[in-house]
Amino acid sequence: MRIAVTIFLTDETITPTRLARELEQRGFAGLYLPEHTHIPVERTTPYPAGGDLPREYGRTLDPFVALGQAAAVTERLGLGTGITLVAQHDPIDLAKQIATVDHLSGGRLTLGLGYGWNVEEAADHGVEWRTRRDLVRDRMALMRALWSEEPTAYEGQFGSVRASLAYPKPVQKPRGPVVGPRTLVGGAAGPKLFAHIAEYADGWLPIGGRGLSEALPALREAWADAGRDPAALQVVPYAVQPSAGKLAYYAELGIEEAVVQLPPAGEGEVLALLDQYGEFVG
């Protein structure tokens, strides 16, 4: 099983370049970074994990800038977002950012995307909460038009783009309905999520990795109903606390990659934990 990591990189943690070099040297499969543009101080949305919102949420580095740094000092390490809050971006600008990182890294980017949990953060971006999933679907379709080999126009519910010259293109070629880099959708199991995954993604990024044995049959059914190749579905448990038993359980389910959580800490603490996680690599 491939073992990747995720971490809230901030202005107070280990740097992207130092971490990326260490991960590649130690044989880890990838580095996934989360995103929050800002955290409004006057916030009524509760932290999903309960309690006070951890400090790092308001200090995260821009994931694409940080991944660009990581790409520049590595050759094999996978690079991913976990997750990109697509609703909070202009899709034309975002398509350019994604394609540029993927191009410069030689096709190593995974776009992990999701819908968010912080109502106030999204509202500052003009996002209407009840329609955010449809907004993400629409923006993904617009970006696919820009990533297409031939100039392709798109007219959607929330936005449009003329047929355009838009380079660079993502490295990976279209596969089924999916255009762009490897694309995984995060979110809680449910019919709407699984329908969207089958429509425009390569698979699911289940946060925490719980409840997979119950959810996977429904995801596979939605995938098959969309006419997708069963062998192409990718499920990548995300932000998990690893153990030999848990990883063996994932392997029994046919999962080939897991993303383990690192603390938002300095170099010493992070590298010490990488030493411990090294037993799972390879």
Side-chain angles (χ1 to χ4, degrees):
M1 179 177 293
R2 300 188 305 276
I3 304 297
V5 306
T6 184
I7 181 175
F8 277 83
L9 287 180
T10 77
D11 57 323
E12 299 176 325
T13 66
I14 188 172
T15 66
T17 52
R18 176 70 163 134
L19 178 57
R21 286 191 181 104
E22 289 288 338
L23 291 171
E24 183 159 274
Q25 291 170 4
R26 295 162 184 256
F28 284 86
L31 169 63
Y32 290 72
L33 299 180
E35 173 184 44
H36 283 284
T37 55
H38 67 300
I39 299 293
V41 174
E42 295 183 2
R43 179 176 56 83
T44 59
T45 308
Y47 175 44
D52 294 333
L53 186 69
R55 174 184 177 87
E56 61 267 20
Y57 277 75
R59 307 187 74 100
T60 55
L61 303 184
D62 179 280
F64 293 104
V65 175
L67 290 172
Q69 284 201 333
V73 298
T74 56
E75 296 179 351
R76 303 175 305 279
L77 186 72
L79 309 164
T81 57
I83 56 168
T84 296
L85 297 167
V86 172
Q88 297 182 185
H89 288 269
D90 177 285
I92 299 173
D93 285 341
L94 183 59
K96 175 71 77 172
Q97 286 178 283
I98 290 167
T100 298
V101 174
D102 194 53
H103 168 74
L104 293 176
S105 68
R108 289 186 275 150
L109 184 66
T110 293
L111 174 62
L113 65 97
Y115 309 104
W117 60 268
N118 190 330
V119 176
E120 290 77 22
E121 177 185 358
D124 284 347
H125 288 278
V127 176
E128 186 175 348
W129 194 249
R130 66 178 181 82
T131 60
R132 73 193 189 285
R133 289 175 181 266
D134 293 328
L135 174 61
V136 169
R137 176 177 179 266
D138 191 70
R139 289 186 170 170
M140 289 300 300
L142 190 153
M143 291 196 293
R144 290 198 302 276
L146 290 170
W147 292 331
S148 296
E149 289 298 326
E150 298 298 327
T152 303
Y154 177 75
E155 183 71 38
Q157 178 183 358
F158 298 95
S160 62
V161 67
R162 296 172 175 85
S164 303
L165 299 176
Y167 289 85
K169 301 296 184 185
V171 173
Q172 191 168 168
K173 298 303 180 184
R175 54 244 174 247
V178 186
V179 179
R182 181 190 188 216
T183 301
L184 304 172
V185 183
K192 189 166 187 177
L193 177 75
F194 290 166
H196 285 184
I197 289 171
E199 178 184 349
Y200 62 77
D202 295 296
W204 185 26
L205 200 66
I207 310 300
R210 291 180 291 275
L212 289 178
S213 60
E214 295 80 10
L216 284 180
L219 173 57
R220 288 172 176 146
E221 181 178 359
W223 190 264
D225 289 346
R228 304 290 300 273
D229 177 5
L233 175 61
Q234 300 179 46
V235 177
V236 181
Y238 188 79
V240 303
Q241 300 297 326
S243 68
K246 184 181 293 185
L247 296 177
Y249 166 68
Y250 293 157
E252 290 174 0
L253 295 175
I255 290 168
E256 298 179 347
E257 180 183 357
V259 183
V260 302
Q261 183 74 58
L262 292 174
E267 189 172 298
E269 184 176 344
V270 168
L271 296 185
L273 194 55
L274 289 183
D275 288 339
Q276 295 180 36
Y277 286 172
E279 69 175 291
F280 304 123
V281 175

